[in-house]
Amino acid sequence: MADSSDPSVSPTERFADRPVYVIGGGPGGLAAAYALRARGVRAIVLEKSDRVGASWRRHYDRLHLHTTRRLSALPGLAIPRRFGRWVARDDVVRYLEKYAEHHRLEIVTGVEVSRIERTADGTGWLLHASGGRELTGGAVVVATGFNHTPRVPGWPGLEEYGGRFLHAGEYRNAEPYAGQDVLVVGVGNTGAEIAVDLAEGGAARVRLAVRTAPHIVRRSTAGWAAQYTGVLVRRLPVGFVDRLARPMARISVPDLSAHGLPRPDTGLYTRCKAGSIAVQDVGIIDAVRKDRVGIVAAVEAFEEGKVVLADGTRMSPDTVIAATGYTRALEALVGHLGVLDEQGRPVAQGGRTPQHAPDLYFTGYTNPISGMLRELALDAEKIAKAVARSAAGKASRIPG
C-alpha cells in the first residue's frame, strides 16, 4: 500500500484502503465506476445478481430504447453502430457486458447491500452486506435503479382474486396470451407497449385501463428524435415548455378523445417534473385508432372474480397485467440517514450529496425528459469529479 505520508502519492492513492463502493451493476453503477477509475479512484461495484445489467435482462422481449444510440452511450465506450438507432434489449445487455470488460471494472457479484451507516469515526461509510460482510468505503455511490421493486396498488379484493394476475415485470412476450382477453392496467410506456405487443401477438382482446390520460409523443418525426427536443428544453422554464408542447402535440398526434384518450389537461413538462414521463409512440396510436387496443376506466377493485372499474363496469378478463410501475425501495438501505424525501427519492443526485451525508452519492432515481442513460452518463462524470475533489480535501488535512 502506498505511504499516506509521502507527498508524491496522489490523493486518491492515499485512500486505497477505503475504496468507493458502487451499489448496483446496471448502467448507472458501471458508468460511475468507470468515471471514478478514469480519475484514479478505486471503485468496486457490488451487484446482488450473478451478472451485470440484471434489470435489463428481465425486461420484455420487444423492448427497444426510446432514446437514440448516440445519446444513450455511457462514458468511454460508444454503442456499436450495428445495434441500430433504437437499441434492442438484448443489445443493451451485450453493451453493458462489453462495457464492464472493456474498462476492466472491478465487479463483485452475488453481494447484496442491506444497510449503509456512517463509520464509528465518521470518516467513511460502513456497508452491511449479504453473508455477514461489513465493508468500509471512503465514499458510496447508490445506483440500485429506478425500476427496483414492482409496485402493485392495494386494490380491495386483489388477494382473493382467483384470475390470472401478474405485474408487467413478469411479462416477456405475447405468446402465452394468444387467444386471450387481456386487461393491461396503466398507460405509461411499459403498459402502452405491452398492450401493442399483445394486440400484434395474437391476443383475442386487449384493453388498457387508464386513470389519467397521458401525453403521447412520436418517438421520431421526420428523423428528429423526441429525445433531441427533450435535451434542448430540459433547462427551460416548465410553463414555457408546456406552452410550446401543446401546438406540437396537436400537429403530430391525432385527437384520440373518441377512443377514450382525451388530450391531457396538464402540461407535458409539468407532468414530467412530477415523475410522469410522456408515452413514446411505438404503435399505441394506431392500435387505439383501429380499436385493436380498447381504452377503459381505471381499476378500482376486485370482487367475486371480476375486475371493477371506476365507472362501475365489471369485467372478467383471462389475464390482468399490472403495468403500475416500480418503487425505488431505498428506505431499508438509507432511510435512517434522512437522505430521502417524502416520496422515497434521494434529496440529492449526481455530484451533490445530502448536506449531512458527505460522500454518499445517488444516481438514476429520476426519469428525465432528456433520457435516462444520457443523464446517467453525465451524473457519472459529476460524481467522479466530486469524489476526487473530496479525496484531495481529505488528503490535505492529513498531517505530513
Side-chain angles (χ1 to χ4, degrees):
M1 183 183 299
D3 181 357
S4 63
S5 65
D6 183 353
S8 67
V9 176
S10 72
T12 52
E13 288 177 312
R14 296 177 192 266
F15 293 90
D17 58 331
R18 282 193 176 183
V20 176
Y21 282 107
V22 180
I23 306 174
L30 298 180
Y34 161 71
L36 287 162
R37 179 169 179 169
R39 287 182 174 270
V41 179
R42 186 186 180 198
I44 302 175
V45 178
L46 304 177
E47 168 55 46
K48 69 177 181 180
S49 74
D50 60 350
R51 295 176 291 181
V52 299
S55 64
W56 276 94
R57 298 173 192 275
R58 294 192 298 268
H59 286 312
Y60 47 92
D61 298 347
R62 177 193 180 97
L63 181 66
H64 285 67
L65 291 180
H66 291 169
T67 53
T68 66
R69 171 179 52 82
R70 288 187 177 182
L71 294 186
S72 300
L74 303 179
L77 185 67
I79 299 176
R81 288 176 60 89
R82 68 179 183 276
F83 288 174
R85 191 182 197 195
W86 312 106
V87 184
R89 179 204 63 185
D90 289 349
D91 286 334
V92 173
V93 172
R94 292 186 184 97
Y95 172 69
L96 295 178
E97 291 174 337
K98 181 64 177 178
Y99 190 87
E101 177 187 357
H102 178 79
H103 292 306
R104 299 181 181 179
L105 301 181
E106 192 171 351
I107 301 170
V108 182
T109 59
V111 176
E112 182 173 7
V113 179
S114 57
R115 186 177 174 89
I116 301 172
E117 297 177 343
R118 205 75 172 129
T119 54
D121 62 4
T123 61
W125 293 99
L126 177 65
L127 286 67
H128 298 272
S130 52
R133 298 177 180 87
E134 291 189 346
L135 309 170
T136 303
V140 175
V141 180
V142 181
T144 52
F146 190 85
N147 295 336
H148 187 274
T149 302
R151 183 183 73 86
V152 177
W155 289 305
L158 178 58
E159 292 185 1
E160 293 77 35
Y161 180 63
R164 185 178 186 184
F165 179 93
L166 65 149
H167 187 272
E170 302 173 69
Y171 179 88
R172 295 296 173 267
N173 55 61
E175 185 177 352
Y177 312 98
Q180 288 193 14
D181 178 353
V182 185
L183 174 67
V184 181
V185 185
V187 71
N189 277 294
T190 297
E193 191 156 2
I194 287 177
V196 172
D197 194 45
L198 288 163
E200 294 178 352
R205 185 177 189 182
V206 181
R207 286 172 286 188
L208 186 58
V210 176
R211 184 173 299 279
T212 304
H215 285 276
I216 302 176
V217 299
R218 300 285 190 181
R219 186 170 64 176
S220 178
T221 303
W224 179 266
Q227 184 187 13
Y228 297 163
T229 302
V231 171
L232 292 174
V233 306
R234 73 192 189 284
R235 299 194 186 282
L236 295 178
V238 173
F240 176 75
V241 177
D242 285 347
R243 291 191 295 274
L244 184 66
R246 290 189 193 106
M248 292 177 63
R250 292 191 182 95
I251 294 170
S252 61
V253 178
D255 186 358
L256 299 174
S257 298
H259 299 275
L261 279 182
R263 295 192 187 278
D265 55 6
T266 54
L268 184 150
Y269 206 13
T270 295
R271 288 270 192 94
C272 183
K273 286 291 189 179
S276 180
I277 202 76
V279 172
Q280 296 221 9
D281 175 44
V282 288
I284 189 62
I285 291 175
D286 283 346
V288 171
R289 290 178 73 182
K290 296 175 182 178
D291 294 323
R292 295 164 63 191
V293 172
I295 304 299
V296 298
V299 171
E300 288 293 304
F302 292 78
E303 291 181 4
E304 299 177 350
K306 295 183 182 296
V307 182
V308 183
L309 304 184
D311 61 4
T313 301
R314 292 171 176 260
M315 58 176 60
S316 300
D318 297 309
T319 301
V320 177
I321 301 175
T324 47
Y326 296 79
T327 62
R328 300 164 185 83
L330 292 170
E331 287 77 9
L333 187 68
V334 296
H336 55 286
L337 298 174
V339 296
L340 305 178
D341 66 16
E342 58 275 8
Q343 276 82 45
R345 300 171 300 193
V347 297
Q349 278 235 143
R352 298 183 300 111
T353 63
Q355 186 174 4
H356 56 285
D359 299 317
L360 179 62
Y361 300 89
F362 296 87
T363 182
Y365 297 100
T366 61
N367 202 356
I369 195 171
S370 49
M372 173 71 81
L373 292 176
R374 180 182 183 277
E375 295 303 321
L376 290 176
L378 295 174
D379 270 0
E381 301 289 359
K382 293 174 184 176
I383 289 169
K385 183 178 181 179
V387 169
R389 185 168 57 243
S390 176
K394 291 176 181 177
S396 68
R397 294 193 292 271
I398 295 177

